[in-house]
Short mmCIF file of all heavy atoms in Angstrom, two decimals:
data_model
loop_
_atom_site.label_atom_id
_atom_site.label_comp_id
_atom_site.label_asym_id
_atom_site.label_seq_id
_atom_site.Cartn_x
_atom_site.Cartn_y
_atom_site.Cartn_z
N THR A 2 15.37 216.54 128.31
CA THR A 2 16.50 217.47 128.44
C THR A 2 16.06 218.79 129.05
O THR A 2 16.74 219.32 129.94
CB THR A 2 17.17 217.70 127.07
OG1 THR A 2 17.57 216.44 126.53
CG2 THR A 2 18.38 218.61 127.20
N VAL A 3 14.94 219.31 128.60
CA VAL A 3 14.44 220.59 129.14
C VAL A 3 14.14 220.46 130.63
O VAL A 3 14.55 221.32 131.43
CB VAL A 3 13.18 221.05 128.36
CG1 VAL A 3 12.46 222.17 129.09
CG2 VAL A 3 13.56 221.47 126.95
N PHE A 4 13.45 219.40 131.04
CA PHE A 4 13.14 219.22 132.46
C PHE A 4 14.40 219.00 133.29
O PHE A 4 14.51 219.48 134.42
CB PHE A 4 12.14 218.08 132.67
CG PHE A 4 10.73 218.45 132.30
CD1 PHE A 4 10.05 217.72 131.35
CD2 PHE A 4 10.10 219.53 132.88
CE1 PHE A 4 8.75 218.06 130.99
CE2 PHE A 4 8.81 219.89 132.54
CZ PHE A 4 8.13 219.15 131.59
N CYS A 5 15.37 218.28 132.73
CA CYS A 5 16.63 218.07 133.46
C CYS A 5 17.40 219.38 133.61
O CYS A 5 17.97 219.64 134.68
CB CYS A 5 17.50 217.04 132.75
SG CYS A 5 16.94 215.36 132.98
N LEU A 6 17.44 220.18 132.55
CA LEU A 6 18.12 221.48 132.66
C LEU A 6 17.43 222.36 133.68
O LEU A 6 18.09 223.07 134.46
CB LEU A 6 18.14 222.17 131.29
CG LEU A 6 19.07 221.56 130.25
CD1 LEU A 6 18.85 222.21 128.89
CD2 LEU A 6 20.51 221.67 130.69
N TRP A 7 16.11 222.32 133.71
CA TRP A 7 15.36 223.08 134.70
C TRP A 7 15.74 222.62 136.10
O TRP A 7 15.97 223.45 137.00
CB TRP A 7 13.87 222.90 134.44
CG TRP A 7 12.98 223.48 135.49
CD1 TRP A 7 12.77 224.80 135.77
CD2 TRP A 7 12.18 222.74 136.41
NE1 TRP A 7 11.88 224.93 136.81
CE2 TRP A 7 11.50 223.67 137.23
CE3 TRP A 7 11.97 221.39 136.63
CZ2 TRP A 7 10.65 223.30 138.24
CZ3 TRP A 7 11.10 221.01 137.63
CH2 TRP A 7 10.46 221.96 138.42
N GLY A 8 15.83 221.31 136.31
CA GLY A 8 16.22 220.79 137.61
C GLY A 8 17.66 221.10 137.96
O GLY A 8 17.99 221.46 139.09
N ALA A 9 18.55 220.97 136.98
CA ALA A 9 19.98 221.18 137.23
C ALA A 9 20.29 222.63 137.59
O ALA A 9 21.10 222.91 138.48
CB ALA A 9 20.79 220.78 136.00
N ILE A 10 19.63 223.55 136.92
CA ILE A 10 19.91 224.97 137.17
C ILE A 10 19.08 225.50 138.33
O ILE A 10 19.56 226.27 139.15
CB ILE A 10 19.66 225.78 135.88
CG1 ILE A 10 20.66 225.35 134.81
CG2 ILE A 10 19.75 227.28 136.14
CD1 ILE A 10 20.36 225.86 133.42
N GLY A 11 17.85 225.05 138.43
CA GLY A 11 16.95 225.59 139.45
C GLY A 11 17.16 225.02 140.84
O GLY A 11 16.90 225.70 141.83
N PHE A 12 17.64 223.80 140.95
CA PHE A 12 17.81 223.16 142.25
C PHE A 12 19.17 223.54 142.81
O PHE A 12 20.21 223.15 142.27
CB PHE A 12 17.67 221.64 142.12
CG PHE A 12 17.76 220.90 143.41
CD1 PHE A 12 16.86 221.15 144.43
CD2 PHE A 12 18.74 219.94 143.61
CE1 PHE A 12 16.94 220.46 145.63
CE2 PHE A 12 18.82 219.25 144.79
CZ PHE A 12 17.92 219.51 145.81
N LYS A 13 19.20 224.28 143.89
CA LYS A 13 20.45 224.81 144.43
C LYS A 13 21.17 223.85 145.36
O LYS A 13 22.34 224.01 145.62
CB LYS A 13 20.19 226.11 145.19
CG LYS A 13 19.50 227.17 144.39
CD LYS A 13 20.41 227.79 143.37
CE LYS A 13 19.71 228.98 142.73
NZ LYS A 13 20.12 229.22 141.39
N GLY A 14 20.48 222.85 145.87
CA GLY A 14 21.11 221.93 146.81
C GLY A 14 21.58 220.66 146.15
O GLY A 14 21.66 220.55 144.93
N PHE A 15 21.91 219.68 146.97
CA PHE A 15 22.31 218.36 146.51
C PHE A 15 21.23 217.37 146.93
O PHE A 15 20.66 217.50 148.02
CB PHE A 15 23.66 217.95 147.12
CG PHE A 15 24.80 218.78 146.64
CD1 PHE A 15 25.21 219.91 147.32
CD2 PHE A 15 25.48 218.43 145.48
CE1 PHE A 15 26.27 220.67 146.88
CE2 PHE A 15 26.55 219.19 145.03
CZ PHE A 15 26.94 220.31 145.73
N ILE A 16 20.95 216.36 146.12
CA ILE A 16 19.84 215.46 146.43
C ILE A 16 20.16 214.56 147.62
O ILE A 16 19.25 214.11 148.29
CB ILE A 16 19.42 214.62 145.21
CG1 ILE A 16 20.51 213.68 144.76
CG2 ILE A 16 18.95 215.48 144.09
CD1 ILE A 16 20.04 212.62 143.79
N GLU A 17 21.43 214.28 147.85
CA GLU A 17 21.84 213.46 148.99
C GLU A 17 23.21 213.93 149.45
O GLU A 17 23.92 214.61 148.71
CB GLU A 17 21.94 211.98 148.59
CG GLU A 17 20.62 211.33 148.25
CD GLU A 17 20.78 209.87 147.86
OE1 GLU A 17 21.77 209.25 148.28
OE2 GLU A 17 19.93 209.38 147.12
N GLY A 18 23.59 213.50 150.64
CA GLY A 18 24.92 213.82 151.14
C GLY A 18 26.01 213.25 150.27
O GLY A 18 27.07 213.86 150.10
N ASP A 19 25.76 212.08 149.70
CA ASP A 19 26.76 211.46 148.81
C ASP A 19 27.02 212.33 147.58
O ASP A 19 28.15 212.37 147.08
CB ASP A 19 26.30 210.08 148.36
CG ASP A 19 26.59 209.01 149.39
OD1 ASP A 19 27.26 209.33 150.39
OD2 ASP A 19 26.16 207.87 149.20
N ALA A 20 26.01 213.00 147.09
CA ALA A 20 26.20 213.86 145.92
C ALA A 20 27.18 214.98 146.27
O ALA A 20 28.06 215.32 145.46
CB ALA A 20 24.87 214.44 145.46
N THR A 21 27.04 215.54 147.46
CA THR A 21 27.97 216.57 147.92
C THR A 21 29.38 216.02 147.98
O THR A 21 30.33 216.65 147.51
CB THR A 21 27.56 217.09 149.32
OG1 THR A 21 26.19 217.46 149.29
CG2 THR A 21 28.41 218.26 149.74
N ASN A 22 29.53 214.83 148.57
CA ASN A 22 30.86 214.21 148.68
C ASN A 22 31.48 213.97 147.31
O ASN A 22 32.66 214.29 147.09
CB ASN A 22 30.78 212.89 149.44
CG ASN A 22 30.47 213.09 150.90
OD1 ASN A 22 30.70 214.15 151.45
ND2 ASN A 22 29.94 212.06 151.54
N HIS A 23 30.72 213.39 146.40
CA HIS A 23 31.27 213.09 145.08
C HIS A 23 31.65 214.36 144.33
O HIS A 23 32.67 214.39 143.63
CB HIS A 23 30.30 212.24 144.26
CG HIS A 23 30.17 210.86 144.77
ND1 HIS A 23 31.21 209.96 144.79
CD2 HIS A 23 29.12 210.20 145.32
CE1 HIS A 23 30.81 208.82 145.31
NE2 HIS A 23 29.54 208.94 145.64
N TYR A 24 30.85 215.40 144.49
CA TYR A 24 31.18 216.66 143.83
C TYR A 24 32.47 217.25 144.40
O TYR A 24 33.37 217.65 143.66
CB TYR A 24 30.03 217.67 143.96
CG TYR A 24 30.44 219.02 143.46
CD1 TYR A 24 30.58 219.25 142.10
CD2 TYR A 24 30.73 220.05 144.34
CE1 TYR A 24 31.00 220.48 141.62
CE2 TYR A 24 31.15 221.29 143.88
CZ TYR A 24 31.29 221.49 142.53
OH TYR A 24 31.71 222.71 142.06
N LEU A 25 32.58 217.29 145.73
CA LEU A 25 33.77 217.88 146.34
C LEU A 25 35.03 217.06 146.05
O LEU A 25 36.11 217.62 145.82
CB LEU A 25 33.57 218.04 147.85
CG LEU A 25 32.55 219.11 148.25
CD1 LEU A 25 32.31 219.08 149.75
CD2 LEU A 25 33.00 220.49 147.79
N ILE A 26 34.90 215.75 146.05
CA ILE A 26 36.05 214.90 145.71
C ILE A 26 36.50 215.19 144.28
O ILE A 26 37.70 215.33 144.01
CB ILE A 26 35.69 213.41 145.90
CG1 ILE A 26 35.59 213.09 147.40
CG2 ILE A 26 36.72 212.51 145.23
CD1 ILE A 26 34.96 211.75 147.70
N ALA A 27 35.55 215.30 143.36
CA ALA A 27 35.89 215.59 141.97
C ALA A 27 36.46 217.00 141.82
O ALA A 27 37.40 217.22 141.06
CB ALA A 27 34.66 215.43 141.08
N ARG A 28 35.92 217.95 142.56
CA ARG A 28 36.37 219.34 142.46
C ARG A 28 37.83 219.49 142.86
O ARG A 28 38.56 220.28 142.28
CB ARG A 28 35.48 220.23 143.32
CG ARG A 28 35.78 221.71 143.17
CD ARG A 28 34.70 222.52 143.84
NE ARG A 28 34.94 223.93 143.80
CZ ARG A 28 34.64 224.75 142.81
NH1 ARG A 28 34.08 224.26 141.73
NH2 ARG A 28 34.87 226.03 142.88
N PHE A 29 38.25 218.73 143.87
CA PHE A 29 39.62 218.88 144.36
C PHE A 29 40.54 217.76 143.89
O PHE A 29 41.68 217.67 144.33
CB PHE A 29 39.62 219.00 145.88
CG PHE A 29 38.92 220.25 146.35
CD1 PHE A 29 37.66 220.19 146.90
CD2 PHE A 29 39.51 221.48 146.18
CE1 PHE A 29 37.00 221.34 147.31
CE2 PHE A 29 38.87 222.64 146.57
CZ PHE A 29 37.61 222.57 147.14
N ALA A 30 40.08 216.91 142.97
CA ALA A 30 40.90 215.81 142.48
C ALA A 30 42.11 216.31 141.68
O ALA A 30 43.16 215.66 141.68
CB ALA A 30 40.07 214.86 141.63
N VAL A 31 41.97 217.44 141.03
CA VAL A 31 43.08 217.98 140.26
C VAL A 31 44.24 218.36 141.20
O VAL A 31 45.40 218.11 140.89
CB VAL A 31 42.62 219.20 139.43
CG1 VAL A 31 43.79 219.88 138.74
CG2 VAL A 31 41.59 218.76 138.41
N ASP A 32 43.90 218.92 142.36
CA ASP A 32 44.93 219.29 143.34
C ASP A 32 45.38 218.11 144.19
O ASP A 32 46.49 218.11 144.70
CB ASP A 32 44.39 220.39 144.27
CG ASP A 32 44.08 221.66 143.51
OD1 ASP A 32 44.73 221.91 142.48
OD2 ASP A 32 43.17 222.40 143.95
N GLN A 33 44.51 217.13 144.35
CA GLN A 33 44.81 215.95 145.17
C GLN A 33 44.57 214.70 144.32
O GLN A 33 43.51 214.07 144.41
CB GLN A 33 43.93 215.93 146.42
CG GLN A 33 44.14 217.14 147.30
CD GLN A 33 43.13 217.19 148.43
OE1 GLN A 33 42.36 216.28 148.64
NE2 GLN A 33 43.16 218.30 149.15
N PRO A 34 45.55 214.32 143.48
CA PRO A 34 45.35 213.21 142.53
C PRO A 34 45.01 211.87 143.17
O PRO A 34 44.49 210.99 142.49
CB PRO A 34 46.69 213.14 141.80
CG PRO A 34 47.35 214.44 142.02
CD PRO A 34 46.83 214.96 143.32
N ALA A 35 45.25 211.73 144.47
CA ALA A 35 44.87 210.47 145.14
C ALA A 35 43.37 210.25 145.06
O ALA A 35 42.90 209.10 145.13
CB ALA A 35 45.33 210.49 146.59
N ASN A 36 42.60 211.32 144.87
CA ASN A 36 41.14 211.17 144.73
C ASN A 36 40.75 210.38 143.49
O ASN A 36 39.68 209.78 143.46
CB ASN A 36 40.47 212.55 144.67
CG ASN A 36 40.44 213.24 146.01
OD1 ASN A 36 40.75 212.65 147.04
ND2 ASN A 36 40.08 214.50 146.01
N PHE A 37 41.61 210.37 142.48
CA PHE A 37 41.30 209.62 141.26
C PHE A 37 41.32 208.11 141.46
O PHE A 37 40.73 207.38 140.69
CB PHE A 37 42.25 210.00 140.13
CG PHE A 37 41.97 211.35 139.53
CD1 PHE A 37 42.84 212.40 139.73
CD2 PHE A 37 40.83 211.57 138.78
CE1 PHE A 37 42.59 213.64 139.18
CE2 PHE A 37 40.56 212.81 138.23
CZ PHE A 37 41.45 213.85 138.44
N VAL A 38 42.03 207.65 142.48
CA VAL A 38 42.11 206.21 142.74
C VAL A 38 41.47 205.82 144.07
O VAL A 38 41.53 204.67 144.48
CB VAL A 38 43.57 205.70 142.68
CG1 VAL A 38 44.10 205.82 141.28
CG2 VAL A 38 44.45 206.45 143.66
N ASN A 39 40.84 206.76 144.72
CA ASN A 39 40.18 206.51 145.99
C ASN A 39 38.95 205.63 145.76
O ASN A 39 38.10 205.96 144.93
CB ASN A 39 39.78 207.84 146.63
CG ASN A 39 39.18 207.68 147.99
OD1 ASN A 39 38.53 206.68 148.30
ND2 ASN A 39 39.38 208.69 148.82
N VAL A 40 38.84 204.53 146.46
CA VAL A 40 37.73 203.60 146.28
C VAL A 40 36.40 204.27 146.63
O VAL A 40 35.41 204.11 145.93
CB VAL A 40 37.95 202.32 147.10
CG1 VAL A 40 36.74 201.42 147.03
CG2 VAL A 40 39.18 201.59 146.63
N TRP A 41 36.37 205.02 147.72
CA TRP A 41 35.13 205.67 148.11
C TRP A 41 34.71 206.70 147.06
O TRP A 41 33.52 206.89 146.79
CB TRP A 41 35.27 206.35 149.47
CG TRP A 41 34.08 207.19 149.77
CD1 TRP A 41 34.02 208.54 149.81
CD2 TRP A 41 32.74 206.74 150.01
NE1 TRP A 41 32.74 208.96 150.08
CE2 TRP A 41 31.93 207.86 150.21
CE3 TRP A 41 32.15 205.49 150.08
CZ2 TRP A 41 30.58 207.78 150.47
CZ3 TRP A 41 30.79 205.42 150.34
CH2 TRP A 41 30.03 206.56 150.54
N ALA A 42 35.69 207.35 146.44
CA ALA A 42 35.38 208.40 145.47
C ALA A 42 34.85 207.83 144.16
O ALA A 42 34.29 208.55 143.36
CB ALA A 42 36.64 209.21 145.19
N ARG A 43 35.01 206.56 143.91
CA ARG A 43 34.61 205.92 142.67
C ARG A 43 35.40 206.54 141.52
O ARG A 43 35.01 207.58 140.97
CB ARG A 43 33.11 206.03 142.40
CG ARG A 43 32.23 205.62 143.55
CD ARG A 43 32.34 204.14 143.87
NE ARG A 43 31.40 203.81 144.93
CZ ARG A 43 31.75 203.32 146.10
NH1 ARG A 43 33.01 203.07 146.35
NH2 ARG A 43 30.85 203.05 147.01
N PRO A 44 36.53 205.95 141.18
CA PRO A 44 37.46 206.57 140.22
C PRO A 44 36.84 207.02 138.90
O PRO A 44 37.17 208.09 138.40
CB PRO A 44 38.50 205.47 140.00
CG PRO A 44 38.47 204.67 141.26
CD PRO A 44 37.04 204.70 141.72
N LEU A 45 35.94 206.23 138.34
CA LEU A 45 35.35 206.62 137.06
C LEU A 45 34.53 207.90 137.20
O LEU A 45 34.62 208.81 136.38
CB LEU A 45 34.47 205.50 136.50
CG LEU A 45 33.79 205.85 135.19
CD1 LEU A 45 34.80 205.91 134.06
CD2 LEU A 45 32.70 204.86 134.88
#
C-alpha cells in the first residue's frame, strides 16, 4: 500500500494511452451517460 500510494501520488503521467482514455471517459460519464454502456469504455 505504501509503495502504491507513492506511485499514485508521485507519478504525474499515465502509464499508457489507454489509461488516459479510461480516465477521461470515466470523468465525463456523469455528463455523458452513454459512456456507461460504451463497449470501448468498459462499463464496469
